[in-house]
Amino acid sequence: MRKQHGFTLIELLVVIVMIAALMLVLVNLFLGQNRIYKTQTAELNVTSAARTALDDIDFFVRSADIVANSHGGYSTGAQVLVLQIPSIDASSQIIPATYDYVAFYLSGTDFFRQIFANGSSTRPSGTKLLGRNVTGLAFTYNNMNYA
């Protein structure tokens, strides 16, 4: 009697089950890594947005003469910062005794910057969204005498 070469049905089923188990492990590993990647990307985006907002605040605070009590319907407080900054001309030179105002404020969970430029200033007026889903924002002051 001659021996035939090949696999039995049981051997094929065992190999198929082993391959399926290996594929299941690889898919779970891939999905886990994908979840971690998405979480890390979201955290980086939040950190980047926060850094951009803080850089914007830092730029205007360094440019400011004073923290203004109020301007344009905004009053400085725990969730509002109003700054008085010198106006600038077309060559970025300060215009004496002329000021622009910048208000940073929280509206719901959205954080905005609004610039109120003097008519002679070349600084553009407007509102910019600096961040969404902002919670826990609070401006604190060492001295409530805004001058």
Side-chain angles (χ1 to χ4, degrees), residues 18 28-29 45 57 63 67 74 78 97 101-102 116 121 140 144:
M18 289 173 54
N28 281 335
L29 181 65
N45 289 341
I57 293 169
S63 302
V67 174
Y74 298 100
Y101 291 86
V102 178
F116 302 93
S121 177
T140 57
M144 289 306 285

Side-chain angles (χ1 to χ4, degrees), residues 27-74:
V27 165
N28 281 335
L29 181 65
F30 174 76
L31 292 175
Q33 291 300 319
N34 194 31
R35 200 171 319 124
I36 290 171
Y37 172 77
K38 286 181 180 181
T39 301
Q40 292 296 315
T41 301
E43 287 179 11
L44 284 172
N45 289 341
V46 167
T47 303
S48 175
R51 178 80 262 159
T52 301
L54 289 174
D55 287 345
D56 201 53
I57 293 169
D58 181 61
F59 172 77
F60 284 105
V61 165
R62 290 179 187 272
S63 302
D65 284 344
I66 63 169
V67 174
N69 187 29
S70 65
H71 187 80
Y74 298 100

Side-chain angles (χ1 to χ4, degrees), residues 43-132:
E43 287 179 11
L44 284 172
N45 289 341
V46 167
T47 303
S48 175
R51 178 80 262 159
T52 301
L54 289 174
D55 287 345
D56 201 53
I57 293 169
D58 181 61
F59 172 77
F60 284 105
V61 165
R62 290 179 187 272
S63 302
D65 284 344
I66 63 169
V67 174
N69 187 29
S70 65
H71 187 80
Y74 298 100
S75 296
T76 295
Q79 293 186 331
V80 178
L81 173 63
V82 181
L83 301 171
Q84 176 183 301
I85 55 177
S87 297
I88 54 174
D89 61 18
S91 57
S92 296
Q93 298 299 313
I94 293 175
I95 303 170
T98 307
Y99 300 100
D100 299 334
Y101 291 86
V102 178
F104 293 95
Y105 62 93
L106 196 61
S107 177
T109 60
D110 293 339
F111 185 53
F112 293 95
R113 177 199 70 206
Q114 185 164 2
I115 298 176
F116 302 93
N118 186 289
S120 58
S121 177
T122 57
R123 186 174 283 121
S125 291
T127 303
K128 179 180 179 183
L129 175 65
L130 297 177
R132 292 193 179 278

